[in-house]
Amino acid sequence: MHRVKRSDVPLQETWDLTDLFESHAAWEAELDAIRAALPSVTKYHGQLAEGAEGLAACLEAREALQIRMNRVASYATFRLSTDSLEPNHQADTARVATLDTEFSTKTAFIQSEVLALPDGTVESWMAGDATLHAFRHTLRNWLEIRPYRLTAEVESALLGLSQTLSAPQRIYTLSKGADMRFDQALDKDGQAHPVHDGGSQLSPDPILRRNAYASFTQGLRAYRTTYAATFATEVEKNVTLAKMRGYDSATQMLLHPHKVEESVYHSIHDVIRTELAPHMRRYQRMRQRLLGLDNMLYCDLTVQLPDGPTVTYEQGRMWILDALQVLGEEYHEIIRRAFSERWIDRSDNLGKRSGAFCNTVYGVHSYVFMTWENHTRAVFTLAHELGHAGHLSLAAKYQKQSNSRPPMSFIESPSTMNELLLAQHLLKQSDDKRMRRSVIAGLMGTYHHNFVNHLLEGELQRRMYQIAEKRTPITEQTLTRVKGEILAEFWGDTVEIDEGAALTWMRQPHYYMGLYPYTYALGLSISTAAAQAIESQGEPAIKRWIDVLKAGGTKTPAELAGMAGADITNPDVIRSAVAYVGTLVDAFEATLDEYRDKPAVQGGEG
């Protein structure tokens, strides 16, 4: 499909950024105004030991500026995400990064002065001051890291170096979005198609799909040394910082803000990699037959089935609205607004980054980013991102900005919940085998995305940090070899693990976001348990879930999961979710009666 310039995209396919700023000039004015307002916080420097009232006032002033910072940063990020080819967008994100560094550096005194107070002081002040008590989660988080704090001077220096320390992510993101180019790929009729991260690689035409996959692999190969250096720098940075701060390992340091025990982190990887593999191998063998392929390549794993229905955006919108009515009027109103007020950017244009995300701007609303394609899987993706929107909109409504976002280890539960509710709704609506097969395939895509793609990415992270802790260099050869080994261990002889599969470590920005990948699997394990409770218990389980969403970041992930009925410290929660995948594979097989005696057809070769 031909990709148009951003300026040629129909307005209704784009999000409305005027809710953030009426114009770019207004954004620039706010950027300058925030810098001018920094003294509203820095005037408290050296005074925080004087009492609860002064500390509360300082934190209030800081939060007010953080809310404004989030607006200007989101505006710049959104524009860059939808058109990374525009130099002004790159320049704007750099300006925000500079301001963010200045803001962080000049307000670093707050945490330093709080941690310098005698033991018990903060707790005593919070007990007697309601305003300060509202910041209890921020303050308790700070007190938890007291043993790992460096001197005030060193902490200030590290904040001043924040742009440098985040360089691996910035370099990777800009390079992937703006620099990478791929040769066109030919389809079965000899027609040439553009290749980017997605698109032709997911074509139902096996000739085009595999040619695009080969083209993309060739394009990645040219960047493998550079991306290995950015990956290794990110890992080595975290290993060094962990040692400086006195953590036992980088893994311990990166899990600290997640509020998740290392045992849970390792259990997620170990249980899913071993117990899920048989279900996924069986599923992909059935898909191979449906796709008419004589062998399965990595690019074949998530392509849409040939008999899946075409789903327009309008049809997908109605499916989602109908499915999410179960969560009640308050939640449903958020989803209705997302569609009617242009919170969603769904275009496919040149310079638009790949993937999907939701960013909720406190005091404004959520923004959803994706590329729409007319198939069932796109509906699940949109439902997923709207799950983030519903969650964080409710949290923003009921919590202060500093309390609105839960730890990263829980963040994927509300998003995957929406996918599960969508599947439950659609399966109840139809006995048609073709429709049910498409819905189950869509839901299996959810488990593949979270339990396979991201979990195996997390496994690469886990192994790379183990290597780095031993001071063994991380090279392109190491990354490619280990990624290939991980995929081969999981897929066995079901999927051919070629160079393109082994190079998939180059395709994911999550490696530059701490230990993010495993959280997808943890979140889906929690939402699987909660969705089953909603299906079996009805209103009581729904009320508990809405209370979880409203709680935002006021509770730990274990507490939030417990409210929803899932004990994440017990591996049986993970095993139960894996077992549910097995039942989906059974249900998928039950739709294949008409295919049982159909011989396999030779697949296309790239």
Side-chain angles (χ1 to χ4, degrees):
M1 182 177 67
H2 176 65
R3 304 182 85 197
V4 301
K5 294 180 180 179
R6 180 67 181 181
S7 57
D8 295 330
V9 174
L11 188 68
Q12 67 269 21
E13 296 183 14
T14 67
W15 46 27
D16 183 4
L17 298 187
T18 61
D19 290 342
L20 288 171
F21 294 98
E22 284 292 334
S23 65
H24 188 263
W27 174 83
E28 287 189 307
E30 176 66 350
L31 206 65
D32 294 336
I34 292 172
R35 181 172 283 109
L38 280 172
S40 67
V41 181
T42 58
K43 68 181 182 181
Y44 295 98
H45 196 173
Q47 302 176 24
L48 300 186
E50 296 177 4
E53 185 177 347
L55 176 56
C58 180
L59 291 174
E60 289 277 14
R62 173 178 174 266
E63 182 173 78
L65 277 189
Q66 284 178 320
I67 292 171
R68 295 169 65 184
M69 277 292 301
N70 186 25
R71 281 200 186 196
V72 296
S74 296
Y75 181 84
T77 299
F78 295 162
R79 280 159 49 95
L80 181 65
S81 296
T82 53
D83 188 0
S84 61
L85 301 178
E86 171 54 59
N88 290 333
H89 296 173
Q90 298 178 24
D92 286 346
T93 56
R95 292 171 66 187
V96 170
T98 299
L99 177 60
D100 184 61
T101 298
E102 183 179 355
F103 176 86
S104 299
T105 302
K106 290 186 175 180
T107 60
F109 74 91
I110 305 173
Q111 189 180 88
S112 296
E113 291 187 28
V114 167
L115 295 181
L117 294 169
D119 288 347
T121 302
V122 173
E123 292 84 349
S124 175
W125 287 357
M126 285 193 293
D129 189 295
T131 303
L132 189 59
H133 187 261
F135 290 97
R136 62 193 179 280
H137 300 288
T138 297
L139 294 168
R140 287 170 181 167
N141 288 339
W142 287 354
L143 293 174
E144 283 180 6
I145 66 169
R146 177 181 271 164
Y148 307 105
R149 286 278 297 179
L150 303 172
T151 65
E153 292 78 10
V154 173
E155 292 290 351
S156 179
L158 288 173
L159 281 171
L161 288 169
S162 60
Q163 283 198 67
T164 302
L165 294 174
S166 65
Q169 180 185 32
R170 189 168 65 254
I171 292 168
Y172 173 85
T173 302
L174 288 174
S175 173
K176 186 182 177 190
D179 293 340
M180 295 192 78
R181 295 291 183 272
F182 308 98
D183 293 336
Q184 291 186 322
L186 300 180
D187 63 18
K188 58 182 173 51
D189 299 319
Q191 293 293 112
H193 296 258
V195 174
H196 54 92
D197 194 3
S200 298
Q201 292 187 76
L202 297 175
S203 170
D205 172 7
I207 299 293
L208 174 57
R209 182 171 69 250
R210 293 185 172 194
N211 284 339
Y213 176 61
S215 172
F216 196 80
T217 298
Q218 179 66 27
L220 288 177
R221 190 183 295 125
Y223 289 80
R224 63 189 186 277
T225 303
T226 299
Y227 286 4
T230 58
F231 192 118
T233 301
E234 177 70 14
V235 171
E236 291 161 6
K237 173 195 75 178
N238 289 324
V239 169
T240 299
L241 288 172
K243 289 185 181 299
M244 287 173 59
R245 294 188 177 283
Y247 287 95
D248 294 337
S249 65
T251 298
Q252 183 191 30
M253 179 185 75
L254 294 171
L255 284 177
H256 199 142
H258 291 199
K259 299 187 181 300
V260 165
E261 298 293 332
E262 284 192 63
S263 60
V264 174
Y265 171 74
H266 291 301
S267 179
I268 281 281
H269 287 92
D270 294 337
V271 171
I272 292 179
R273 282 191 312 111
T274 56
E275 298 187 18
L276 181 70
H279 298 309
M280 283 298 181
R281 292 177 189 179
R282 178 180 160 220
Y283 176 63
Q284 288 298 341
R285 285 193 290 269
M286 285 188 278
R287 278 176 44 84
Q288 179 180 346
R289 191 169 186 81
L290 286 172
L291 291 168
L293 300 174
D294 57 334
N295 68 325
M296 288 288 283
L297 298 183
Y298 190 85
C299 61
D300 300 322
L301 289 174
T302 56
V303 66
Q304 296 299 303
L305 294 175
D307 65 346
T310 296
V311 184
T312 65
Y313 181 75
E314 178 60 24
Q315 179 64 67
R317 181 183 75 87
M318 293 306 301
W319 283 358
I320 291 171
L321 287 170
D322 289 346
L324 299 183
Q325 280 185 328
V326 68
L327 293 181
E329 179 59 28
E330 185 176 21
Y331 187 96
H332 202 244
E333 174 62 17
I334 295 168
I335 308 304
R336 288 198 296 266
R337 289 185 60 203
F339 284 112
S340 65
E341 298 178 13
R342 283 179 53 215
W343 295 8
I344 303 165
D345 196 283
R346 56 187 170 94
S347 70
D348 184 17
N349 58 264
L350 291 168
K352 185 171 182 176
R353 59 166 280 189
S354 61
F357 66 79
C358 172
N359 184 341
T360 298
V361 183
Y362 193 89
V364 185
H365 57 69
S366 298
Y367 283 88
V368 169
F369 173 98
M370 69 172 298
T371 300
W372 178 264
E373 296 180 87
N374 290 326
H375 50 63
T376 306
R377 185 61 207 152
V379 190
F380 280 86
T381 299
L382 181 53
H384 177 105
E385 300 307 335
L386 288 171
H388 288 306
H391 173 205
L392 297 176
S393 294
L394 283 176
K397 180 178 178 180
Y398 288 94
Q399 306 295 337
K400 292 179 67 65
Q401 185 267 347
S402 57
N403 298 337
S404 63
R405 190 175 180 88
M408 188 180 287
S409 48
F410 183 80
I411 203 70
E412 296 300 338
S413 295
S415 54
T416 52
M417 169 63 88
N418 277 16
E419 297 186 69
L420 297 171
L421 294 177
L422 173 65
Q424 286 179 3
H425 171 75
L426 293 176
L427 289 173
K428 290 175 182 176
Q429 302 304 306
S430 177
D431 291 326
D432 178 74
K433 288 188 176 182
R434 178 170 170 262
M435 181 62 185
R436 291 179 66 81
R437 183 163 55 246
S438 177
V439 173
I440 295 168
L443 189 54
M444 285 296 294
T446 299
Y447 283 97
H448 188 283
H449 182 77
N450 295 275
F451 275 7
V452 182
N453 280 356
H454 290 315
L455 198 279
L456 297 187
E457 289 162 4
E459 179 62 16
L460 179 65
Q461 270 192 316
R462 186 163 71 148
R463 297 188 190 186
M464 288 301 106
Y465 276 104
Q466 290 169 350
I467 289 173
E469 297 285 359
K470 298 175 183 176
R471 292 302 181 185
T472 302
I474 295 175
T475 65
E476 177 271 318
Q477 291 85 358
T478 304
L479 285 160
T480 303
R481 173 181 57 80
V482 174
K483 181 65 176 183
E485 291 172 353
I486 291 169
L487 291 171
E489 290 165 6
F490 186 86
W491 288 113
D493 61 0
T494 305
V495 180
E496 183 179 320
I497 306 303
D498 57 10
E499 183 190 22
L503 286 177
T504 51
W505 62 265
M506 297 176 62
R507 300 178 66 160
Q508 186 50 263
H510 292 160
Y511 293 125
Y512 305 95
M513 301 166 67
L515 296 181
Y516 190 14
Y518 88 95
T519 65
Y520 283 89
L522 179 57
L524 182 52
S525 297
I526 296 168
S527 60
T528 299
Q532 290 174 334
I534 287 175
E535 190 168 35
S536 62
Q537 300 170 23
E539 192 58 36
I542 293 169
K543 183 181 185 304
R544 290 197 303 268
W545 185 248
I546 295 299
D547 287 342
V548 167
L549 304 186
K550 291 177 180 179
T554 61
K555 297 181 182 297
T556 68
E559 290 170 337
L560 292 169
M563 290 172 64
D567 178 5
I568 62 173
T569 64
N570 187 342
D572 286 345
V573 170
I574 307 166
R575 290 194 172 94
S576 178
V578 171
Y580 176 66
V581 175
T583 67
L584 288 176
V585 177
D586 291 340
F588 184 84
E589 186 175 30
T591 70
L592 300 181
D593 291 343
E594 69 268 38
Y595 288 91
R596 293 193 188 284
D597 299 322
K598 182 179 179 180
V601 179
Q602 294 294 303
E605 294 297 334

